[in-house]
């Protein structure tokens, strides 16, 4: 660590958030300085130096990273959002060693809490890593990881996780997945992070060899790199098959129409909100806008029971029928009125079939410009599971209606009368509060 430039370090702000920011902006030309700072700083400035250094493929830092990786849980938030081949190789060494020992366990063996947490951290650092050694980790997983599904957890793990550890809460995106399901989705996330051609080739290879969930990263790669029509023609047959359909939905569940850009983007969150600042999100654009035939295909049969993908996409509060309609609602191209009108009847029928409506359908219908939502809102407010309050009614009228102020206030008054007549149960409905909120609706 003696080849760093002291002048660079001397020009940094002396302390606080300004020092953190300045350190985070250092790049490849200051790699020696970052390695020095990562070793000597403390607290938040140390973390800034570590994260900045991790984004550089700097081989002299290998010894530093190797030492840090001896405690995977402590470095997940440092190394989970980097593409460095140096880091990728070192992490792969750790993963291969762990998995090889892990897979030597006999079927039915117990998984300790320490093993569980170490595995979560190691998997949490995989996205974006594409070195040859990391590709070998995926190949090992594809070949052998199914055996881990027979493992049992000990009493300590049961007490702390409240679930069988054949499921791993790797991130907020991949919630309660088995390892067999998780590795293909980690690869899909890795492809989305920077579209590394090595990972795209690996996805194709693993799907050709093993099939199943490895279709998801192949599909993600195609949406990033190929024309929309070509992708639909190649992958829509998989949607028609009940087995492979969920692998398509797992990817479509990360695709959203961005109203600000009038473009389709992936929204792939990674890390866990509760695991020490490990969360980050990605929004890469699709190569082209999504072919509308996907939407027409998904909205073809409103009476059919809808499957749920592995990726949870609901942004709404309340009881909903599942993730499928949330996915479809987020895929609607709001700049395409013809397409939106075509699927309006689908969502109206789904509101009738739903026996516990949250804000999913009224929110989607609002986004496509549908105005006749009074009966839908009344159904939402009358559903006991939603535990509706006066503020929910006020917010829904503001957020989910295209009505003039007087019409909103009139329905609010009507709800109040029904509450007084005990025809509708709405919590916290007090005269003073109701009058104040009605006046706000009239403004």
């Amino acid at each position: 660590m003696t080849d760093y430039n002291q002048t660079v370090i001397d020009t940094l702000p002396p302390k606080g958030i300004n020092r953190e920011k300045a350190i985070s902006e250092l790049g490849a030309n200051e790699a020696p300085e970052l390695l020095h700072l990562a070793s000597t700083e403390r607290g938040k400035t140390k973390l800034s130096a570590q994260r900045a250094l991790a984004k550089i493929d700097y081989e002299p830092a290998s010894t530093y990273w190797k030492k840090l990786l001896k405690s995977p849980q402590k470095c997940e938030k440092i190394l989970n959002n980097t593409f460095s081949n140096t880091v990728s190789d070192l992490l792969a060494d750790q993963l291969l060693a762990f998995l090889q020992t892990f897979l030597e366990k006999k079927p039915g063996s117990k998984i300790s809490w320490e093993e569980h947490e170490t595995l979560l951290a190691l998997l949490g650092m995989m996205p974006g890593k594409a070195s040859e050694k990391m590709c070998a980790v995926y190949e090992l997983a594809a070949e052998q990881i199914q055996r881990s599904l027979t493992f049992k957890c000990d009493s300590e793990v049961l007490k702390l996780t409240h679930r069988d550890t054949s499921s791993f809460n790797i991130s907020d995106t991949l919630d309660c997945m088995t390892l067999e399901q998780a590795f293909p989705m980690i690869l899909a996330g890795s492809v989305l992070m920077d579209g590394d051609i090595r990972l795209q080739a690996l996805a194709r290879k693993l799907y050709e060899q093993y099939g199943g969930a490895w279709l998801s990263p192949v599909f993600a790669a195609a949406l990033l790199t190929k024309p929309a029509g070509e992708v639909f023609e190649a992958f829509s047959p998989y949607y028609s098959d009940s087995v492979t359909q969920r692998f398509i939905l797992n990817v479509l569940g990360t695709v959203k129409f961005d109203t600000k850009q009038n473009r389709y983007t992936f929204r792939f969150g990674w890390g866990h909100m509760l695991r020490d600042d490990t969360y980050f999100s990605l929004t890469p654009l699709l190569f082209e806008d999504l072919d509308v035939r996907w939407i027409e295909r998904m909205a073809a049969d409103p009476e059919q029971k809808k499957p749920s993908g592995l990726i949870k996409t609901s942004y709404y509060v309340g009881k909903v029928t599942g993730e499928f309609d949330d996915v479809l609602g987020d895929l609607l191209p709001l700049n395409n009125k013809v397409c939106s009108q075509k699927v309006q009847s689908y969502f109206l029928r789904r509101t009738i079939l739903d026996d516990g409506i949250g804000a999913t359908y009224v929110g989607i219908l609002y986004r496509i410009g549908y105005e006749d939502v009074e009966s839908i809102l009344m159904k939402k407010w009358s559903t006991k599971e939603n535990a509706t309050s006066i503020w929910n009614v006020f917010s829904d009228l503001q957020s989910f209606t295209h009505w003039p102020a007087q019409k909103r206030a009139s329905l609010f008054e009507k709800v109040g009368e029904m509450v007084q007549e005990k025809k509708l149960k709405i919590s916290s409905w007090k005269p003073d509060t109701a009058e104040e909120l009605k006046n706000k609706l009239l403004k």
Side-chain angles (χ1 to χ4, degrees), residues 174-190:
L174 306 181
D175 187 26
C176 297
M177 279 191 173
T178 65
L179 282 176
E180 185 180 16
Q181 297 163 339
F183 276 101
M185 293 312 297
I186 294 171
L187 181 54
S190 292

Side-chain angles (χ1 to χ4, degrees), residues 14 106 120 130 158 184 192 218 384 398:
K106 294 179 180 179
L120 289 187
L158 272 176
L192 296 180
V218 178
K384 292 181 180 179
Q398 280 197 319

Side-chain angles (χ1 to χ4, degrees), residues 82-118:
T82 173
F83 313 126
S84 164
N85 287 311
T86 301
V87 171
S88 181
D89 275 346
L90 292 169
L91 176 62
D93 288 339
Q94 288 279 95
L95 266 162
L96 285 169
F98 183 92
L99 290 174
Q100 284 163 354
T101 301
F102 192 71
L103 293 170
E104 287 174 2
K105 289 177 175 285
K106 294 179 180 179
S109 297
K110 291 183 179 179
I111 302 171
S112 71
W113 175 250
E114 181 63 28
E115 287 175 307
H116 176 266
E117 291 299 286
T118 298

Side-chain angles (χ1 to χ4, degrees), residues 143-161:
E143 181 183 353
Q144 298 189 42
I145 206 63
Q146 291 88 337
R147 290 181 54 200
S148 71
L149 304 182
T150 66
F151 295 162
K152 298 177 182 178
C153 55
D154 63 25
S155 58
E156 180 187 11
V157 173
L158 272 176
K159 188 171 91 173
L160 292 171
T161 64

Side-chain angles (χ1 to χ4, degrees), residues 80-368:
N80 65 351
N81 189 8
T82 173
F83 313 126
S84 164
N85 287 311
T86 301
V87 171
S88 181
D89 275 346
L90 292 169
L91 176 62
D93 288 339
Q94 288 279 95
L95 266 162
L96 285 169
F98 183 92
L99 290 174
Q100 284 163 354
T101 301
F102 192 71
L103 293 170
E104 287 174 2
K105 289 177 175 285
K106 294 179 180 179
S109 297
K110 291 183 179 179
I111 302 171
S112 71
W113 175 250
E114 181 63 28
E115 287 175 307
H116 176 266
E117 291 299 286
T118 298
L119 181 56
L120 289 187
L122 291 172
L123 295 179
M125 290 183 276
M126 283 184 72
K129 315 299 188 294
S131 65
E132 185 176 339
K133 285 186 177 181
M134 186 57 74
C135 290
V137 172
Y138 285 107
E139 297 201 40
L140 174 68
E143 181 183 353
Q144 298 189 42
I145 206 63
Q146 291 88 337
R147 290 181 54 200
S148 71
L149 304 182
T150 66
F151 295 162
K152 298 177 182 178
C153 55
D154 63 25
S155 58
E156 180 187 11
V157 173
L158 272 176
K159 188 171 91 173
L160 292 171
T161 64
H162 305 290
R163 62 176 180 268
D164 187 336
T165 51
S166 62
S167 294
F168 292 89
N169 196 10
I170 302 165
S171 73
D172 286 337
T173 303
L174 306 181
D175 187 26
C176 297
M177 279 191 173
T178 65
L179 282 176
E180 185 180 16
Q181 297 163 339
F183 276 101
M185 293 312 297
I186 294 171
L187 181 54
S190 292
V191 168
L192 296 180
M193 284 183 76
D194 69 338
D196 194 297
I197 59 173
R198 294 171 294 180
L199 294 176
Q200 293 183 42
L202 175 66
R204 291 191 295 270
K205 176 183 177 182
L206 294 178
Y207 182 67
E208 289 169 4
Q209 286 184 303
Y210 302 102
W214 297 104
L215 176 63
S216 292
V218 178
F219 182 40
L223 288 170
L224 277 176
T225 59
K226 295 181 179 180
E230 183 180 328
V231 175
F232 179 82
E233 295 296 338
F235 289 90
S236 58
Y238 296 110
Y239 183 81
S240 302
D241 181 272
S242 60
V243 175
T244 56
Q245 184 184 83
R246 68 189 181 98
F247 305 132
I248 296 297
L249 285 174
N250 291 341
V251 175
L252 290 179
T254 69
V255 177
K256 320 290 176 188
F257 181 79
D258 186 328
T259 55
K260 292 182 179 179
Q261 300 183 77
N262 276 332
R263 286 286 309 275
Y264 279 95
T265 182
F266 287 100
R267 291 186 191 166
F268 192 91
W270 190 258
H272 200 275
M273 295 292 188
L274 302 180
R275 283 224 314 279
D276 197 20
D277 195 24
T278 62
Y279 186 82
F280 63 91
S281 60
L282 310 165
T283 55
L285 291 171
L286 275 64
F287 183 79
E288 283 186 354
D289 281 347
L290 195 71
D291 193 303
V292 295
R293 288 177 291 177
W294 284 113
I295 296 164
E296 293 168 359
R297 179 74 62 88
M298 292 172 72
D301 187 358
E303 309 287 336
Q304 183 184 32
K305 183 179 180 181
K306 299 302 176 183
S308 294
L310 291 172
I311 290 183
K312 313 265 184 227
T313 60
S314 176
Y315 300 124
Y316 310 111
V317 177
K319 180 181 175 184
V320 295
T321 55
E323 291 79 40
F324 182 93
D325 288 333
D326 289 323
V327 170
L328 179 54
D330 286 332
L331 291 177
L332 295 179
L334 300 182
N335 60 349
N336 186 332
K337 292 184 178 180
V338 173
C339 179
S340 295
Q341 287 299 313
K342 278 186 178 181
V343 297
Q344 179 176 291
S345 60
Y346 169 88
F347 286 110
L348 288 172
R349 181 59 183 157
R350 296 295 287 169
T351 65
I352 296 171
L353 294 173
D354 185 15
D355 60 359
I357 189 169
T360 295
Y361 299 112
V362 70
I364 292 169
L365 289 167
Y366 173 81
R367 294 203 302 274
I368 62 178

